[in-house]
Amino acid sequence: MTVTYTSRVATARFGGFSQLLLLWRGSIYKLLYRELLLFLTAYLGLSLAYRFLLSESQRRLFEKLVLYCDKSANLIPVSFVLGFYVALVLERWWGQFRTVPAPDGLMVAVAGSVHGADARGRLLRRTLLRYGSLAALLVLRAVSTPVYKRFPTTDHLVQAGFLTREERRRLDALRSPYNKFWVPCAWFGALAGQARREGRVRDDCALKLLMEELNRFRAHCSLLFHYDWISVPLVYTQVVTIAVYTFFLTCLIGRQFLDPAQGYAGHELDLGVPVFTLLQFFFYVGWLKVAEQLINPFGEDDDDFETNTLIDRNFQVSMLAVDELYGEVPALQRDRYWDAASPRAPYTAAAAPPRRPAFRGSAFDVTLAKEEMQFQPLEELGDPLGDPLGDPQPGPRRTSSSEEPPPGDGDPQERWPLHPHAEPPV
């Protein structure tokens, strides 16, 4: 369902984004055209009633109402509350994408730590990765509408091969009202410990690696579940929605064109259709629709995450990594740059870079005259460690610290003038 247009804007060019404006699937036009048509219809209905249905006295009252609404619309802080809200929703959307559990780290750890080319070793590796896929599936089934439609019951999980009948019986027998995505993680840990006792996991460091990857995978599942549980505060969503809709309900009256003959300020021209008000509606309500689509990316919108595709990819790749690819290492051969002192990969004609010197640092672009590159005698430069206020004053120099009089000895009058305004010692 994701709309991908990255290749269309891979290179910046004149009007680069303009080629995206005619796309329909996933576009703002598809999200907004119903609201825009409703607003325009209501606006034209009021305009026609003002021009042809109202009496003269009623028109004067309506004109006063228009002026009042036009002035009051500026009191609604639409851009302020809407901008912060969309920024919050966008940050939340990106956070949800980053927490979608991927088994890549887990499958590499299992393939490298659980040994055995026999049927038992194969069974252990496949079961461990199946438990990981089951944990992710139980979370995605709870947060994603397309995944729930695909696997509405645990019977469907058994038929799909993610659960055995014995495992489903044990899962259903657990008396817990909460989501049970953590149960396959517990099975994974117990089975990894059993593999260690059997010698399939050869040392405790490998077992520790397996448990660390499991905890990382489980943390992603848990965080994704909590994203679905803890939403953006309802009051914030309500405030933003009320602000946007109230603003345009006010504009529906306040942006009406009035009779130029009445001499109202700002109503010297009668266009009939409020072009810039429609643009404002497109931007503000479109902004709100963007937040509406991004606040839950696990639905069935055009730009929501393709969770079913992620499940298919993750399950297939993880099984391939721990089964068919287990112990399969290509024969070692010398690479084609074995004897090259400075290897360099070739280019095609389409990708050949322009001929220019390699970048060595921005300071190498500085040009200096020949006389500026000559070292200067140190006597002319002075001592860089000297007194920053000038040359040190000449005076007697002690050759040993033993020559310094001890504290309290000597005439105090000789040691008194430390400050011009200090009192003499008694």
Side-chain angles (χ1 to χ4, degrees), residues 133-422:
S133 298
L134 177 61
L137 179 54
L138 290 177
V139 170
L140 290 174
R141 178 173 170 265
V143 305
S144 174
T145 304
V147 177
Y148 185 81
K149 288 182 177 180
R150 184 180 179 182
F151 306 106
T153 65
T154 53
D155 287 335
H156 291 81
L157 297 179
V158 173
Q159 295 175 16
F162 290 96
L163 268 175
T164 65
R165 296 189 180 277
E166 174 64 18
E167 291 167 352
R168 187 197 63 177
R169 185 187 65 79
R170 290 175 176 270
L171 190 66
D172 293 341
L174 283 175
R175 297 182 179 275
S176 176
Y178 306 108
N179 191 294
K180 300 176 182 178
F181 71 89
W182 52 271
V183 176
C185 296
W187 291 346
F188 185 105
L191 188 57
Q194 182 178 343
R196 174 70 181 99
R197 291 189 294 272
E198 294 178 6
R200 302 286 180 169
V201 179
R202 294 175 180 172
D203 52 47
D204 292 337
C205 291
L207 180 61
K208 180 175 181 292
L209 174 63
L210 282 174
M211 299 310 296
E212 286 176 348
E213 289 296 334
L214 172 65
N215 283 330
R216 188 177 297 112
F217 185 80
R218 184 211 56 79
H220 279 235
C221 294
S222 178
L223 186 57
L224 183 61
F225 180 76
H226 284 81
Y227 263 118
D228 183 67
W229 181 24
I230 308 299
S231 305
V232 176
L234 178 62
V235 291
Y236 199 2
T237 304
Q238 289 176 335
V239 166
V240 174
T241 305
I242 292 174
V244 173
Y245 287 156
T246 303
F247 176 78
F248 284 105
L249 283 176
T250 307
C251 290
L252 197 61
I253 300 175
R255 301 293 174 84
Q256 291 286 336
F257 288 100
L258 302 181
D259 185 4
Q262 299 300 318
Y264 296 115
H267 290 272
E268 295 82 9
L269 186 63
D270 185 3
L271 295 179
V273 177
V275 178
F276 288 98
T277 300
L278 293 179
L279 287 176
Q280 198 174 25
F281 183 91
F282 184 84
F283 296 143
Y284 281 166
V285 180
W287 216 357
L288 184 64
K289 299 297 286 187
V290 167
E292 180 183 334
Q293 179 166 323
L294 296 183
I295 197 169
N296 183 9
F298 296 101
E300 297 177 308
D301 293 327
D302 288 340
D303 235 344
D304 283 343
F305 300 155
E306 297 185 27
T307 46
N308 279 319
T309 303
L310 286 174
I311 292 172
D312 296 337
R313 179 264 174 196
N314 293 341
F315 188 63
Q316 183 189 65
V317 169
S318 59
M319 288 302 176
L320 285 175
V322 300
D323 193 357
E324 294 189 21
L325 293 181
Y326 174 74
E328 293 291 332
V329 180
L332 297 181
Q333 297 180 2
R334 293 185 177 185
D335 58 81
R336 62 178 301 176
Y337 306 106
W338 181 267
D339 297 321
S342 56
R344 186 184 182 192
Y347 286 88
T348 61
R355 294 182 177 273
R356 57 188 177 190
F359 179 75
R360 297 181 297 167
S362 58
F364 281 87
D365 296 332
V366 178
T367 57
L368 296 174
K370 185 175 181 180
E371 58 274 9
E372 293 178 339
M373 292 189 289
Q374 302 297 325
F375 283 120
Q376 301 297 309
L378 295 180
E379 293 76 7
E380 299 181 6
L381 300 179
D383 186 4
L385 301 179
D387 187 359
L389 300 179
D391 294 335
Q393 297 295 329
R397 178 176 177 270
R398 294 190 178 95
T399 58
S400 173
S401 59
S402 61
E403 300 177 4
E404 183 177 357
D409 292 346
D411 188 0
Q413 297 294 336
E414 296 179 357
R415 294 183 283 107
W416 163 61
L418 301 177
H419 190 277
H421 301 288

Side-chain angles (χ1 to χ4, degrees), residues 68-78 247 250-251 255 280:
Y68 174 75
C69 290
D70 188 29
K71 181 180 179 181
S72 301
N74 297 324
L75 302 177
I76 304 175
V78 182
F247 176 78
T250 307
C251 290
R255 301 293 174 84
Q280 198 174 25

